[in-house]
Amino acid sequence: MAWNTNLRWRLPLTCLLLQVVMVVLFGVFVRYDPEADAHWKEKRRGNISSDVENDFYYRYPSFQDVHVMIFVGFGFLMTFLQRYGFSAVGFNFLLASFGIQWALLMQGWFHSFHNGYIFIGVENLINADFCVGSVCVAFGAILGKVSPVQLLIMTLFQVTLFSVNEFILLNLLQVKDAGGSMTIHTFGAYFGLTVTWILYRPNLERSKERQSSVYSSDLFAMIGTLFLWMYWPSFNSAVSNHGDAQHRAAINTYCSLAACVLTSVAMSSALQKKGKLDMVHIQNATLAGGVAVGTAAEMMLMPYGSLIVGFICGIVSTLGFVYLTPFLESRLRIQDTCGIHNLHGMPGIIGGIVGAVTAASASTEVYGQEGLVHAFDFQGSKKNWSPSMQGGFQAAGIFVSLAMALVGGAIVGIILKLPVWGQPADENCFEDAVYWEVPKDQEHTAYHPEDSTLKPVAS
Amino acid sequence: MAWNTNLRWRLPLTCLLLQVVMVVLFGVFVRYDPEADAHWKEKRRGNISSDVENDFYYRYPSFQDVHVMIFVGFGFLMTFLQRYGFSAVGFNFLLASFGIQWALLMQGWFHSFHNGYIFIGVENLINADFCVGSVCVAFGAILGKVSPVQLLIMTLFQVTLFSVNEFILLNLLQVKDAGGSMTIHTFGAYFGLTVTWILYRPNLERSKERQSSVYSSDLFAMIGTLFLWMYWPSFNSAVSNHGDAQHRAAINTYCSLAACVLTSVAMSSALQKKGKLDMVHIQNATLAGGVAVGTAAEMMLMPYGSLIVGFICGIVSTLGFVYLTPFLESRLRIQDTCGIHNLHGMPGIIGGIVGAVTAASASTEVYGQEGLVHAFDFQGSKKNWSPSMQGGFQAAGIFVSLAMALVGGAIVGIILKLPVWGQPADENCFEDAVYWEVPKDQEHTAYHPEDSTLKPVAS
Amino acid sequence: MAWNTNLRWRLPLTCLLLQVVMVVLFGVFVRYDPEADAHWKEKRRGNISSDVENDFYYRYPSFQDVHVMIFVGFGFLMTFLQRYGFSAVGFNFLLASFGIQWALLMQGWFHSFHNGYIFIGVENLINADFCVGSVCVAFGAILGKVSPVQLLIMTLFQVTLFSVNEFILLNLLQVKDAGGSMTIHTFGAYFGLTVTWILYRPNLERSKERQSSVYSSDLFAMIGTLFLWMYWPSFNSAVSNHGDAQHRAAINTYCSLAACVLTSVAMSSALQKKGKLDMVHIQNATLAGGVAVGTAAEMMLMPYGSLIVGFICGIVSTLGFVYLTPFLESRLRIQDTCGIHNLHGMPGIIGGIVGAVTAASASTEVYGQEGLVHAFDFQGSKKNWSPSMQGGFQAAGIFVSLAMALVGGAIVGIILKLPVWGQPADENCFEDAVYWEVPKDQEHTAYHPEDSTLKPVAS
């Protein structure tokens, strides 16, 4: 069984097939939300005082920030590898572009389906980007070891599972998770870790030389880091209730992220014998604070609560990079290229816990009578819920997300292990030249071109 | 006739002269729009319910996104050449900074002129950026082959012609073109192609070595690509009617661009014998979907309609890069450095056609009675227009834009061909060192410094 | 006294100590502004017509733009040095993350303190970013010559002094300074220049080779330049009054910056004997126009007034880089790494003067009766103020800012001169490897590792 990485037929056919299916399904199902429909004013004239009441103006700036996080943020964050920049940015671009379409459909069927149609507006666009965010997270674990065809397959399945999990959490368990600590980060991270565990490559040290950064690749990665860091307040507030909830979510995220930078820097320096800083920590651990307030940001976490969450996560995340990642790789055979367990896994679980505790300790004193009902939607079917019940369901959400991630990741990992997707040989991992025409300045002897006499590595 | 590229007097004098003229004309003509004037509240108190009704809050976020597209988007997209990054970003910065001032005046005279004054507000800023967008497009065709003085001259003329063409389309033909498929992309592309055709350099292969990318220059270019791609929904919705039209334009553009990525990747892989992806396609063809819904994005194109447009444009654009660009260069003597014909030319025309068809098939069933009137402004002088009339005028707009571009481009090309603007010799094209002090690490033997004994290349 | 640059204990302890103090002070003092509090609707129901009246929707887009300017703008602008990119981006990230927390407290005590609590909302976040902006400015003067511990110490003191100065200007002198020509730029620049004057290093030529750029570092710096340039209209309008004032501030800044680019390019070319452009000028002088309308942007400066201000500042700033910076270094022993005197110092003072003159010449004819009161807050304690009084106080604000900067900078400089903060030796300035683990490709002989036998350089 020789691995063939020539994707000339597989990649085009996969892309075209998926895109044709999208066109057909959109044709059958997708229509504009009333607020994006030309009938808008006619139908709503009585109820709206002004054009500015259109949800577009509440959410569009946040949407654009989230969009930048998905495409530039995640894309450039993963360019830190010395010879994998094209793939990091390009494959992320590809999978996200497919994923948002599929997510509009999947999430639409679960949440925006009326009379046989999915009605989409700006909030759907944000949620589609969110869903794809969890795929970008998982991509971080398998970065450099898979083909773009595998990524598209993974996206197809992961978006599907994400939507099911999100439906269970938001609609059945009725949890709050506006910034997605559970649905996006916990799910995405453990899904990706399970996939990479299944795809374990025992001879990966053959590409070890390329698994590090160079000076300019680290600077490119900082573009990704900073756009993620700066726009995270928009991420966590983008789909919160209008008004004070969005406002509060932005403030809490801002605070948590600021604290996280200081403790990440502190740990990075403390854990190196000459006290020097490690770019990997600055690029990643500084973001953990945003992950960990994903659930609670819109709640009355209080600014100091946010600082504490950020404080803890900067430490946990940096410790993870120094001690846990090597352990996972050597003992548990989990090869986590970007260290997503440290940036999304642990902080995601912490975020779920913080959310559960914050919800459980909500009170009318802090929220006001109306505020409490409004914040947790304690009306209709949830009329008799207490904050502690909400907290309990929040906690359950963490376990559901974990279970879905582990089971789903295992299944998808097995599918991706099939030797037909054009994955690279162990000695060609982390190398753009496998799938890209690379400018001459970067070509060199390290890349091993396809050779029919080359014996494949047992996977 | 020896070409002299020392711009010590020509560039400063051109810049200062143009800027002095701008100051004088602004002094005579430009005042604040009432919504940006300190009298605002006094005069409007009766009519406005709140500060948030100020047009600033409807359009400012979109404006900033468009601003990023013009300066970072176009600027970095053109840094793909190995030794032309300073010029790509720097000259784009220069021409756009001049262009927006001149566009405020030109467009102001046509659209915002009352009682002897031009009144400017945020919508004027967006339109000025749009106008300059067409110059950035044209710049792509002549990238590397002209001096900054030539670019300023071209900007002066192109902004003028753009404004005339825009006036004919929007005011005389009364077409809709919010995202500028016709006014910006079709006009800009064919204008630029005509200019580069006139400026044909038969010995350009002397700089062939520099007409390719290096690894880091391709990554810098992806910064431009992604910011263009991400913010294109803002571009196409920025000047649409408040409310559902802006909302819909953003959704349509988001969908079209997503589809376009998949078909661009598919074609890029399918057209290379080893199935490898070409960065040029990823950097450019993925954007064609945004161009091609420029006219119809605010109409009821439907999400699946947008996907189809993006689907087609990704294919057309990539095919153009592979087959048409070499043909244009070898047979028609059109040297199109960035392949703007593939990214803006053909998709722009497709966009005009899509707009015409979408307008012609508009109905009260889809738009509602009020919605149809509102969307196409079927009132006042257009009171008796039918959708099919609108479609006919839309189609006419394409031809007018093409005619203006070809005639205008030919005239401007002839002016730029005069040997007094400091253009580089054929062997020094695509080289920053001609006009910039370049750090030592980049200096090398390939650049041919000015030499009085150097025989000029016949142009 | 051997200088030890191993920060293993000093940096972590400083970070953790500061962060713990922040947590405690936030716990004691910081609460949500009513508009970010869950009680919002309950308490305000009577007064608000809609969620969109929440200040969040007026200011959040501007906030995010300002946030990008502080972290990506300033961070990348300083990456122009060939081997100091990690430190430029990373230390800026660190100091800003600490600074915004401390600024929330300091500015909160002065401006948002009620009943023992500081109430924070989106406007506080913007103001905290603004405050840190002045630290980023000062960082530019000492870039490459200090340790991260010194930067944190400087941030601690500078934020404190900034807040005091801001209180004096805004509350006691009651000046207008929405874009911070005086409070941010003048104060930040002269503070930084005084610090670097105190920290004078007579043997800095030992790192001369590293004090220049390479090709890619100049392109990275242009990312910073462009994001600063593009978002400056948001910076100058972010905290202006809702409505026409924000609108006007954006327009004026847009105009000023555009003019500034043309005159910067003109001077850059004119001052080099071969007429070539210097990247340093394009990266910096083009921004001076934004600094110089910081005070007057929200006033009725008129678009042509803005063009004139930008026109002048492009010239002054470029002249400063060519003639003044070398003079300051050789004669006044002021080593200004980034040339902040040219970008923030002189343009800041010009901005203060422009603001004073514009305020003094305000009239009811131009502003309207209500408009004048609204623009300058001529009510309550200022009821009897005339525009010329306002102008006088504005002028006084410049001197107060200068005095605070010089005195404060001297004190802080002396503190930073203590040989305990881990500052680098003269031959190791402008070198990432002192404080960072640097990828192998960048390691080379130029860096002089710590050596106990190394004789320290007298400071």
Side-chain angles (χ1 to χ4, degrees):
Chain A
M1 175 189 82
W3 286 358
N4 177 359
T5 61
N6 186 329
L7 301 178
R8 190 168 184 190
W9 297 109
R10 285 174 284 185
L11 182 58
L13 287 178
T14 309
C15 287
L16 292 175
L17 178 67
L18 290 172
Q19 192 57 53
V20 167
V21 172
M22 290 302 111
V23 170
V24 172
L25 291 174
F26 268 61
V28 175
F29 289 108
V30 181
R31 298 296 178 268
Y32 300 114
D33 181 273
E35 304 207 55
D37 192 286
H39 286 94
W40 178 54
K41 293 205 169 177
E42 231 158 319
K43 296 212 175 141
R44 302 278 290 272
R45 180 123 305 162
N47 304 321
I48 50 165
S49 60
S50 151
D51 284 337
V52 84
E53 288 292 312
N54 195 303
D55 199 37
F56 182 76
Y57 301 104
Y58 286 98
R59 305 217 184 270
Y60 191 71
S62 310
F63 157 66
Q64 277 293 7
D65 294 349
V66 171
H67 216 40
V68 171
M69 291 174 73
I70 300 299
F71 289 88
V72 159
F74 280 108
F76 273 92
L77 182 61
M78 296 190 279
T79 59
F80 70 101
L81 293 170
Q82 55 189 280
R83 282 179 230 149
Y84 210 64
F86 288 12
S87 303
V89 171
F91 294 166
N92 186 69
F93 194 16
L94 174 64
L95 75 83
S97 294
F98 165 62
I100 53 179
Q101 297 178 61
W102 181 228
L104 281 174
L105 288 164
M106 280 302 303
Q107 296 179 315
W109 283 315
F110 280 122
H111 302 288
S112 309
F113 195 65
H114 307 290
N115 302 323
Y117 292 115
I118 295 165
F119 295 94
I120 63 170
V122 66
E123 195 169 340
N124 297 69
L125 305 188
I126 298 171
N127 280 317
D129 273 17
F130 277 1
C131 174
V132 163
S134 85
V135 185
C136 299
V137 167
F139 180 25
I142 55 176
L143 184 76
K145 300 173 290 186
V146 290
S147 77
V149 177
Q150 284 176 299
L151 288 171
L152 287 169
I153 304 295
M154 184 177 86
T155 304
L156 178 69
F157 286 105
Q158 193 179 349
V159 166
T160 310
L161 291 164
F162 175 97
S163 304
V164 173
N165 184 53
E166 188 189 43
F167 178 75
I168 295 172
L169 264 69
L170 302 191
N171 295 52
L172 305 185
L173 300 178
Q174 306 211 55
V175 308
K176 304 294 283 184
D177 195 19
S181 291
M182 294 179 281
T183 55
I184 301 167
H185 300 288
T186 303
F187 173 78
Y190 289 96
F191 184 95
L193 292 168
T194 312
V195 169
T196 198
W197 176 68
I198 304 270
L199 297 183
Y200 180 67
R201 288 171 178 264
N203 299 306
L204 196 57
E205 79 284 352
R206 292 186 192 172
S207 329
K208 204 72 192 176
E209 51 174 321
R210 280 189 303 266
Q211 215 178 338
S212 59
S213 63
V214 290
Y215 196 73
S216 67
S217 72
D218 268 328
L219 276 176
F220 278 115
M222 280 304 290
I223 297 173
T225 298
L226 287 175
F227 275 101
L228 286 168
W229 193 92
M230 296 180 303
Y231 285 159
W232 216 297
S234 296
F235 192 94
N236 285 346
S237 67
V239 296
S240 291
N241 288 332
H242 293 169
D244 60 279
Q246 278 198 286
H247 201 152
R248 192 163 56 244
I251 294 171
N252 285 331
T253 310
Y254 177 96
C255 289
S256 176
L257 284 164
C260 190
V261 173
L262 272 88
T263 55
S264 298
V265 168
M267 296 311 290
S268 183
S269 173
L271 295 173
Q272 208 266 2
K273 75 174 180 341
K274 290 189 177 172
K276 294 188 183 185
L277 298 169
D278 188 330
M279 255 296 167
V280 171
H281 308 154
I282 308 305
Q283 284 159 2
N284 291 279
T286 52
L287 299 167
V291 172
V293 294
T295 304
E298 61 176 8
M299 302 178 190
M300 292 291 284
L301 177 61
M302 308 312 288
Y304 67 86
S306 308
L307 290 188
I308 293 170
V309 173
F311 191 102
I312 292 168
C313 285
I315 293 172
V316 168
S317 186
T318 311
L319 285 171
F321 275 101
V322 176
Y323 298 113
L324 204 53
T325 298
F327 172 84
L328 290 179
E329 175 153 3
S330 59
R331 300 301 170 86
L332 302 186
R333 300 162 63 106
I334 296 174
Q335 294 160 328
D336 178 5
T337 311
C338 294
I340 64 165
H341 188 245
N342 312 305
L343 171 46
H344 302 277
M346 293 185 292
I349 290 177
I350 292 172
I353 296 169
V354 169
V357 172
T358 311
S361 50
S363 68
T364 54
E365 192 179 272
V366 174
Y367 287 78
Q369 192 64 45
E370 275 188 53
L372 193 64
V373 170
H374 190 63
F376 295 101
D377 207 30
F378 287 157
Q379 50 198 343
S381 65
K382 287 176 80 177
K383 195 170 183 178
N384 297 316
W385 282 40
S386 67
S388 58
M389 268 183 76
Q390 179 75 35
F393 278 93
Q394 296 281 142
I398 305 172
F399 292 100
V400 172
S401 298
L402 276 172
M404 289 287 293
L406 298 177
V407 174
I411 295 166
V412 173
I414 290 165
I415 294 169
L416 296 186
K417 213 178 164 70
L418 298 176
V420 300
W421 309 117
Q423 47 268 65
D426 288 358
E427 56 270 43
N428 284 337
C429 285
F430 315 112
E431 171 62 60
D432 276 335
V434 181
Y435 303 115
W436 296 84
E437 295 196 59
V438 171
K440 292 224 171 49
D441 71 310
Q442 206 66 6
E443 277 179 22
H444 42 69
T445 55
Y447 166 56
H448 307 79
E450 287 289 307
D451 177 0
S452 56
T453 66
L454 192 73
K455 281 184 62 178
V457 178
S459 64
Chain B
M1 177 189 83
W3 285 358
N4 177 359
T5 62
N6 186 328
L7 302 178
R8 191 168 183 190
W9 296 109
R10 283 173 287 186
L11 181 57
L13 287 177
T14 308
C15 289
L16 292 175
L17 178 66
L18 290 173
Q19 192 55 55
V20 167
V21 171
M22 290 301 110
V23 169
V24 172
L25 291 175
F26 269 61
V28 175
F29 289 108
V30 181
R31 297 296 179 269
Y32 299 115
D33 181 274
E35 303 206 55
D37 192 286
H39 286 92
W40 178 55
K41 293 204 169 175
E42 229 158 321
K43 295 212 176 141
R44 301 279 290 271
R45 182 125 299 163
N47 305 319
I48 51 166
S49 59
S50 151
D51 284 337
V52 84
E53 289 291 313
N54 194 304
D55 198 36
F56 183 76
Y57 300 104
Y58 286 98
R59 306 218 183 270
Y60 191 71
S62 310
F63 158 65
Q64 277 293 8
D65 295 349
V66 172
H67 216 40
V68 171
M69 292 174 72
I70 299 299
F71 289 88
V72 160
F74 280 108
F76 273 92
L77 181 61
M78 295 191 278
T79 59
F80 70 102
L81 294 171
Q82 56 187 278
R83 281 179 230 146
Y84 209 64
F86 288 12
S87 303
V89 171
F91 294 166
N92 186 68
F93 194 16
L94 174 65
L95 74 84
S97 295
F98 164 62
I100 53 179
Q101 296 178 60
W102 180 228
L104 282 175
L105 287 164
M106 281 301 304
Q107 295 179 316
W109 283 316
F110 279 121
H111 301 287
S112 310
F113 195 66
H114 308 289
N115 302 322
Y117 291 115
I118 295 165
F119 294 94
I120 64 170
V122 66
E123 193 170 341
N124 298 69
L125 305 188
I126 298 171
N127 280 317
D129 273 18
F130 277 2
C131 175
V132 164
S134 85
V135 184
C136 299
V137 168
F139 180 25
I142 55 176
L143 185 75
K145 300 173 291 186
V146 291
S147 77
V149 177
Q150 283 176 300
L151 289 170
L152 288 169
I153 303 294
M154 184 178 86
T155 305
L156 178 68
F157 286 105
Q158 194 179 348
V159 166
T160 310
L161 290 164
F162 175 98
S163 305
V164 172
N165 184 53
E166 188 188 43
F167 177 76
I168 295 173
L169 264 68
L170 304 190
N171 296 53
L172 305 185
L173 300 178
Q174 306 212 54
V175 308
K176 304 295 283 184
D177 195 19
S181 292
M182 295 179 282
T183 55
I184 301 167
H185 300 289
T186 302
F187 173 77
Y190 289 95
F191 184 95
L193 292 167
T194 312
V195 169
T196 198
W197 177 67
I198 302 271
L199 297 183
Y200 180 66
R201 288 172 178 264
N203 301 304
L204 196 58
E205 79 286 350
R206 292 185 191 171
S207 335
K208 204 72 192 176
E209 51 173 322
R210 281 189 304 267
Q211 216 178 336
S212 59
S213 63
V214 290
Y215 195 73
S216 67
S217 73
D218 269 327
L219 277 176
F220 278 115
M222 279 305 290
I223 297 173
T225 298
L226 288 175
F227 275 100
L228 286 169
W229 193 91
M230 297 180 302
Y231 285 159
W232 215 296
S234 296
F235 192 94
N236 284 347
S237 67
V239 297
S240 291
N241 287 332
H242 293 170
D244 60 278
Q246 277 198 289
H247 201 152
R248 191 162 58 243
I251 294 171
N252 285 331
T253 310
Y254 177 96
C255 289
S256 176
L257 285 164
C260 191
V261 173
L262 272 90
T263 55
S264 299
V265 168
M267 295 311 290
S268 183
S269 173
L271 295 173
Q272 209 266 1
K273 75 176 180 340
K274 291 188 174 170
K276 294 189 182 185
L277 298 169
D278 188 329
M279 254 296 167
V280 170
H281 309 153
I282 309 306
Q283 284 159 2
N284 292 279
T286 52
L287 299 167
V291 172
V293 293
T295 304
E298 62 176 6
M299 303 179 191
M300 292 291 283
L301 178 60
M302 307 313 287
Y304 66 85
S306 307
L307 290 188
I308 293 170
V309 173
F311 191 102
I312 292 167
C313 285
I315 293 172
V316 168
S317 187
T318 310
L319 285 172
F321 276 101
V322 176
Y323 298 114
L324 204 53
T325 297
F327 173 84
L328 290 179
E329 176 152 3
S330 60
R331 299 302 169 87
L332 302 186
R333 301 164 62 109
I334 296 174
Q335 294 160 329
D336 178 4
T337 310
C338 294
I340 63 166
H341 188 246
N342 313 306
L343 170 47
H344 301 278
M346 293 184 294
I349 289 178
I350 293 171
I353 295 168
V354 170
V357 172
T358 311
S361 49
S363 67
T364 54
E365 192 180 90
V366 173
Y367 286 77
Q369 192 64 45
E370 273 189 54
L372 192 65
V373 170
H374 191 63
F376 295 100
D377 206 32
F378 287 157
Q379 50 198 345
S381 65
K382 288 176 80 176
K383 197 170 183 180
N384 297 316
W385 282 40
S386 66
S388 58
M389 266 183 77
Q390 179 75 36
F393 278 94
Q394 295 282 141
I398 304 171
F399 292 100
V400 172
S401 298
L402 276 173
M404 289 288 294
L406 298 177
V407 174
I411 295 167
V412 173
I414 290 165
I415 294 170
L416 296 185
K417 213 177 164 74
L418 298 176
V420 300
W421 309 118
Q423 47 268 65
D426 289 358
E427 57 269 42
N428 284 336
C429 283
F430 314 113
E431 172 61 60
D432 275 336
V434 180
Y435 303 115
W436 296 84
E437 295 197 57
V438 172
K440 292 225 171 46
D441 73 307
Q442 203 68 5
E443 277 179 21
H444 43 70
T445 54
Y447 165 57
H448 307 79
E450 287 289 306
D451 177 359
S452 54
T453 66
L454 192 75
K455 280 184 64 182
V457 179
S459 64
Chain C
M1 178 188 85
W3 285 358
N4 177 359
T5 61
N6 185 330
L7 302 179
R8 190 168 184 191
W9 296 110
R10 283 172 286 184
L11 181 58
L13 287 177
T14 309
C15 287
L16 292 175
L17 178 66
L18 290 173
Q19 191 56 55
V20 167
V21 172
M22 290 302 109
V23 170
V24 172
L25 291 175
F26 268 62
V28 175
F29 290 109
V30 180
R31 298 297 179 268
Y32 299 114
D33 181 273
E35 303 207 54
D37 192 285
H39 287 93
W40 178 55
K41 293 205 170 174
E42 230 158 320
K43 296 213 174 142
R44 301 279 289 273
R45 181 123 304 162
N47 305 319
I48 50 165
S49 59
S50 152
D51 284 338
V52 84
E53 288 292 312
N54 195 303
D55 198 36
F56 182 76
Y57 302 104
Y58 286 99
R59 305 217 184 270
Y60 190 72
S62 310
F63 158 65
Q64 277 293 9
D65 295 349
V66 171
H67 217 39
V68 171
M69 291 174 74
I70 300 299
F71 289 88
V72 158
F74 280 108
F76 273 92
L77 181 61
M78 295 191 279
T79 59
F80 70 100
L81 293 171
Q82 55 187 277
R83 282 180 231 146
Y84 209 63
F86 289 11
S87 304
V89 170
F91 294 166
N92 187 68
F93 194 16
L94 173 64
L95 74 84
S97 294
F98 165 62
I100 54 179
Q101 296 178 61
W102 181 226
L104 281 175
L105 288 165
M106 281 300 305
Q107 295 178 316
W109 283 315
F110 280 121
H111 302 288
S112 310
F113 194 65
H114 307 290
N115 303 321
Y117 292 115
I118 294 165
F119 295 94
I120 64 170
V122 65
E123 194 170 339
N124 298 70
L125 305 188
I126 298 171
N127 280 317
D129 273 19
F130 277 0
C131 175
V132 164
S134 86
V135 185
C136 300
V137 168
F139 180 25
I142 56 176
L143 184 76
K145 299 173 292 186
V146 291
S147 76
V149 177
Q150 284 176 300
L151 288 171
L152 287 169
I153 304 293
M154 184 177 86
T155 305
L156 178 68
F157 285 105
Q158 193 180 347
V159 166
T160 310
L161 292 164
F162 175 98
S163 305
V164 172
N165 184 54
E166 188 187 45
F167 178 75
I168 296 173
L169 264 67
L170 303 190
N171 296 52
L172 305 186
L173 300 177
Q174 307 212 54
V175 307
K176 305 295 281 184
D177 195 20
S181 291
M182 294 178 282
T183 54
I184 300 168
H185 300 289
T186 302
F187 174 77
Y190 289 95
F191 184 96
L193 292 168
T194 312
V195 169
T196 198
W197 176 67
I198 304 269
L199 298 182
Y200 180 67
R201 288 172 178 264
N203 301 305
L204 196 57
E205 79 285 352
R206 292 185 192 172
S207 331
K208 203 73 193 175
E209 52 175 320
R210 281 189 304 266
Q211 216 180 335
S212 58
S213 63
V214 290
Y215 196 73
S216 67
S217 73
D218 268 327
L219 276 177
F220 278 115
M222 278 306 289
I223 298 173
T225 298
L226 287 176
F227 275 100
L228 287 169
W229 193 92
M230 296 180 304
Y231 285 159
W232 215 296
S234 295
F235 192 93
N236 284 347
S237 68
V239 297
S240 292
N241 287 331
H242 293 169
D244 59 279
Q246 278 197 287
H247 201 152
R248 192 163 56 242
I251 294 170
N252 285 330
T253 310
Y254 177 96
C255 289
S256 177
L257 284 164
C260 191
V261 174
L262 272 89
T263 55
S264 298
V265 168
M267 295 311 290
S268 183
S269 172
L271 295 173
Q272 209 265 3
K273 76 177 180 342
K274 291 187 175 173
K276 293 188 183 184
L277 298 168
D278 188 330
M279 255 295 169
V280 170
H281 308 153
I282 308 306
Q283 284 159 2
N284 291 278
T286 52
L287 299 166
V291 172
V293 293
T295 304
E298 63 177 7
M299 303 179 191
M300 293 289 283
L301 178 59
M302 308 311 289
Y304 67 85
S306 307
L307 291 188
I308 293 170
V309 172
F311 191 102
I312 292 167
C313 285
I315 293 172
V316 167
S317 187
T318 311
L319 285 172
F321 276 101
V322 176
Y323 298 113
L324 204 52
T325 298
F327 173 84
L328 290 179
E329 175 152 5
S330 59
R331 299 303 170 85
L332 301 186
R333 300 164 62 109
I334 297 175
Q335 294 161 328
D336 178 5
T337 311
C338 294
I340 63 166
H341 188 245
N342 313 306
L343 171 48
H344 302 277
M346 294 184 293
I349 291 178
I350 292 172
I353 295 169
V354 170
V357 172
T358 311
S361 50
S363 68
T364 54
E365 192 180 272
V366 173
Y367 286 78
Q369 192 65 44
E370 275 188 54
L372 192 65
V373 170
H374 191 63
F376 295 100
D377 206 30
F378 287 156
Q379 50 197 345
S381 66
K382 287 175 81 177
K383 195 170 183 179
N384 298 314
W385 283 39
S386 65
S388 58
M389 267 183 76
Q390 180 73 37
F393 278 94
Q394 295 282 142
I398 305 171
F399 292 100
V400 173
S401 298
L402 275 173
M404 289 287 293
L406 298 177
V407 175
I411 295 166
V412 173
I414 289 165
I415 294 169
L416 297 185
K417 212 177 165 72
L418 297 176
V420 301
W421 309 117
Q423 47 267 65
D426 289 358
E427 57 269 43
N428 285 336
C429 284
F430 316 111
E431 171 61 61
D432 275 336
V434 181
Y435 302 115
W436 296 82
E437 295 196 58
V438 172
K440 291 223 173 48
D441 72 308
Q442 205 66 6
E443 275 178 24
H444 44 67
T445 54
Y447 166 55
H448 307 78
E450 287 289 307
D451 177 0
S452 56
T453 65
L454 192 74
K455 280 183 62 179
V457 179
S459 63

